[in-house]
Amino acid sequence: MDSVTVFAPATVANLGPGFDVLGVAVEGMGDVVTARRLDGRAGVVVLEQVEGDGGRLPRDPTTNTAGIAARATLDLLGVEEAGVALALHKGLPLNSGLGSSGASAAAACWAVNALFGAPLSRTELLPAALEAEARVSGWHADNVAPALLGGFVLIHSYAPLDVIRLPVPEDLIFVLALPDCELPTQQARRVLPKTISLRDHVANSGHLAALVAGICTGNARLLGRAVQDQIVEPARASLIPGFARVKQAAIEAGALGCSISGAGPTLFAVTDDEATAQRVAEAMRAAFAEAGLTSHTHIGRVDREGARQIPPPSREETPD
Ligand code: HSE
């Protein structure tokens, strides 16, 4: 195989109480990476094309997340006879809280692995994707893991890296409200408390345990009720204009739970009903507008598959 094209989905990390340890992939939005084999150019990674980013991402493969992930994957594979050329198509907005860098990293890992016969499993590739995410965004796997593996993924431990795929409740629907502003993850991490009270730890432990119980038993109502966070959400709320108003609007419109997606500024809400999802999306968009922000919304079910091979872009879609 000379060339492989891979899609990796958007992700919602944290899901309220699961800071850095829980994330989920959501259908309908994502990044695409095409990897082409460069015979006779051992270990070389070339970033031939980046589009959909408004020219903002680095073109240097040693600082672009897809390039770093491809390099780390070649090392994991022990490929000595060839290099890879990459083309990255950004479908996800930058600094939006939807795991944009994680999706690029996951797509690059899976594409390079597939190019050389797919000897490694998704879990085995995760360290390569995490290495790329850590270099550009921070040492957290709650975006890259679901982008690569699909579904809900719990990071049980970082040292050693141990991730657990959770079952996906049948009827669960995510509503994403993306305001037209950006919040770099590193900025959103700077406002986090360095120490927390025992009381907050106990409260968040209970919420996270209940959230995982809701996911595992397919109980969307319990899941939604457990989307509560006394530690990270309060610290970040002021970075998102209209946060409290948008969250309240989602709940009043019937959402089972609502919080910040990843580091924000996107907010996510959960429901188990299509009509409610439409109402929640409209309520969240209107509430952002009241706070002076335009936004757009996306309704999607859980992406169970994660990174996967897709047909190559047609020639018409590929710019010269
Ligand atoms: N868990 C990370 C954070 C995700 O909240 O900072 C970043 O998208």
Side-chain angles (χ1 to χ4, degrees):
M1 207 180 309
D2 289 338
S3 167
V4 171
T5 298
V6 167
F7 168 88
T11 48
V12 171
N14 302 335
L15 289 153
F19 178 68
D20 280 1
V21 299
L22 184 64
V24 65
V26 176
E27 279 182 351
M29 302 172 77
D31 285 359
V32 173
V33 170
T34 298
R36 189 167 55 80
R37 195 180 161 112
L38 292 176
D39 283 316
R41 298 185 65 187
V44 170
V45 175
V46 180
L47 193 50
E48 286 185 328
Q49 187 182 62
V50 182
E51 55 170 359
D53 67 327
R56 296 173 56 197
L57 288 174
R59 269 48 184 170
D60 175 352
T62 65
T63 53
N64 180 291
T65 184
I68 300 166
R71 167 80 268 157
T73 304
L74 285 177
D75 290 345
L76 268 186
L77 291 168
V79 170
E80 288 177 357
E81 73 283 11
V84 291
L86 304 175
L88 168 63
H89 176 84
K90 291 298 298 178
L92 294 175
L94 309 182
N95 300 321
S96 62
L98 290 172
S100 168
S101 55
S104 295
C109 286
W110 193 245
V112 173
N113 185 48
L115 199 56
F116 293 95
L120 297 180
S121 69
R122 291 166 192 273
T123 310
E124 287 169 328
L125 284 170
L126 188 53
L130 178 54
E131 184 180 328
E133 178 78 327
R135 292 262 290 280
V136 302
S137 171
W139 188 259
H140 47 86
D142 48 347
N143 292 119
V144 280
L148 194 53
L149 279 71
F152 283 95
V153 182
L154 178 67
I155 321 304
H156 165 225
S157 142
Y158 278 89
L161 188 58
D162 180 18
V163 301
I164 302 167
R165 284 196 72 194
L166 303 177
V168 177
E170 264 320 305
D171 298 327
L172 200 62
I173 301 172
F174 278 82
V175 180
L176 307 175
L178 296 73
D180 289 335
C181 62
E182 294 188 10
L183 181 50
T185 298
Q186 282 160 355
Q187 183 188 338
R189 290 178 86 84
R190 275 199 292 272
V191 304
L192 298 179
K194 299 283 178 287
T195 57
I196 58 167
S197 70
L198 191 58
R199 196 169 64 170
D200 285 344
H201 165 71
V202 170
N204 264 35
S205 299
H207 297 320
L208 180 56
L211 180 53
V212 172
I215 293 168
C216 290
T217 57
N219 184 337
R221 288 184 180 272
L222 172 59
L223 187 163
R225 188 153 53 88
V227 175
Q228 296 186 52
D229 169 19
Q230 287 182 210
I231 299 169
V232 175
E233 185 185 287
R236 288 177 167 170
S238 63
L239 300 177
I240 304 171
F243 169 78
R245 194 187 286 231
V246 178
K247 178 171 173 168
Q248 189 187 353
I251 300 295
E252 283 174 3
L256 300 171
C258 174
S259 187
I260 302 169
S261 176
T266 293
L267 263 63
F268 76 93
V270 287
T271 175
D272 57 359
D273 167 79
E274 288 281 355
T276 306
Q278 297 290 349
R279 277 199 305 276
V280 169
E282 181 49 34
M284 294 174 88
R285 200 197 51 70
F288 265 130
E290 280 173 35
L293 276 180
T294 53
S295 63
H296 66 277
T297 55
H298 174 80
I299 296 174
R301 292 182 184 266
V302 173
D303 182 310
R304 296 164 185 258
E305 214 181 333
R308 68 264 201 177
Q309 213 170 320
I310 59 170
S314 64
R315 289 189 71 81
E316 296 79 61
E317 291 170 41
T318 311
D320 295 334

